[in-house]
Amino acid sequence: IDKIRAITKEQWDVVHAGQTTRGHHTIEEVCELYLGQKGRRILMKTATDNIAALLCFLRIALRLKDNDQALALSTTVLTADLVKTFQDNHTRVGSGKTEQAARRSANFKLSHARAVFAKFLLADNLYPNLPDISGFLNVRKLPAVPEVFRFELIDEWCQKIFANMHDLRESDPAAYLFLRLGAGTGLRSREISEALNSWIVGPKGKRMIYVQPTETWIPKGRKIRKIPLGEDIYHDIIALTDGSDWIIPAATTNERNAGVPVRLSAWMKELGWPFKKKVHELRKWFGAQVATQTKSLFDCQRVLGHASHETTNQYYADIVKPPEFTITMDTGGIEPQEPEQKLAVNN
């Protein structure tokens, strides 16, 4: 049975005395297998980014000089201890980053490195000779200070942006439609770039955007979901379409994937947008609207496509149900005094 499995999969080392001797893949072999899936399941750029992150992870963890040394390693090096060594070494790198920024960067690299061994690839038994790498896959990330979501301030600036959308539509229809989809459906920037006209499903009044994989791309976290599509946004899509398969009109594929969000970010910056993130903040604004109207963190997570409920809780828990309580204390007969009227300054 082992012989037949090995021959049909073309992944075997040595057959001796009727049995398959199981060895271990090198990192280079794993990378080649992973890249071999590009036409069927994953985008080439995403694949190469993940492999680059894996090699970077190994270089930092083992203090290697170049990628050739990392590629020659056996997969047996992928252990929980190696992850912890990588985290210690990365946070000590003096690249001008703060400790919190170094932690976020370490978590980012680790996530992409692990993506090479994604669960759906392991389920296909592409790596039959792998050692137990559960430790490498399951070590917790470094705790990092979460970003503060200031809904009131973002809402104020979004209203200023929306007030100038007419001018944007006249000057750059693609960027205008990009803004409409970001704020009106909560799609990620890459999802908007990859959105196809075939994603629009449902009858009038109940139209949805059906986020799903394409031949060359899969959604972040492989989250397939449906999002309500307003009639006004739908009419904008119909009016501004360029007749291609994609929703966003563009002259070339490169412009569709990169040029449009860059131009939209520049336009927002010209209007005085104060936040470091630009297009992605529109998604947060949309999530806040969903949280406010549905009062459901589950609905919010489902529409936004968050892989973890912790992400949803971080930004929208207080919006869905702010804490309401009153604390009274026995002051022993002391009469409360009226507080002095002072101007409160919020830093």
Side-chain angles (χ1 to χ4, degrees), residues 100-115:
Q100 290 301 327
R103 287 185 177 188
R104 282 192 289 268
S105 178
N107 291 339
F108 179 80
K109 288 184 176 68
L110 181 59
S111 294
H112 280 269
R114 287 171 171 171

Side-chain angles (χ1 to χ4, degrees), residues 112-177:
H112 280 269
R114 287 171 171 171
V116 177
F117 304 92
K119 291 181 180 178
F120 69 92
L121 289 177
L122 291 175
D124 285 350
N125 199 26
L126 290 175
Y127 314 121
N129 301 329
L130 277 182
D132 181 12
I133 61 170
S134 57
F136 167 72
L137 296 175
N138 298 325
V139 173
R140 297 186 65 179
K141 297 180 181 179
L142 293 170
V145 176
E147 298 180 23
V148 177
F149 178 47
R150 296 165 292 178
F151 169 64
E152 293 80 3
L153 186 57
I154 289 179
D155 182 61
E156 178 184 343
W157 272 98
C158 279
Q159 300 307 323
K160 294 180 181 179
I161 294 295
F162 299 155
N164 289 274
M165 283 200 305
H166 178 75
D167 296 336
L168 181 63
R169 176 173 177 145
E170 298 298 324
S171 61
D172 194 339
Y176 165 82
L177 199 55

Side-chain angles (χ1 to χ4, degrees), residues 17-31:
Q19 295 182 350
T20 300
T21 303
R22 299 194 180 278
H24 300 296
H25 283 296
T26 64
I27 297 297
E28 184 174 14
E29 290 172 334
V30 169
C31 291

Side-chain angles (χ1 to χ4, degrees), residues 177-222:
L177 199 55
F178 211 99
L179 187 154
R180 291 281 277 158
L181 287 170
T185 64
L187 292 175
R188 298 179 177 91
S189 180
R190 188 58 185 272
E191 291 172 341
I192 298 174
S193 297
E194 298 290 342
L196 301 173
N197 286 307
S198 59
W199 286 12
I200 302 175
V201 297
K204 181 179 179 180
K206 294 185 178 180
R207 289 191 175 92
M208 312 281 281
I209 287 281
Y210 182 22
V211 182
Q212 55 191 301
T214 66
E215 292 182 356
T216 57
W217 173 83
I218 57 174
K220 183 178 180 180
R222 295 173 288 282

Side-chain angles (χ1 to χ4, degrees), residues 223-243:
K223 287 289 184 179
I224 299 174
R225 64 193 194 279
K226 291 183 178 180
I227 306 167
L229 179 66
E231 286 296 307
D232 54 341
I233 302 178
Y234 174 73
H235 290 308
D236 278 336
I237 293 173
I238 297 300
L240 300 176
T241 182
D242 61 355

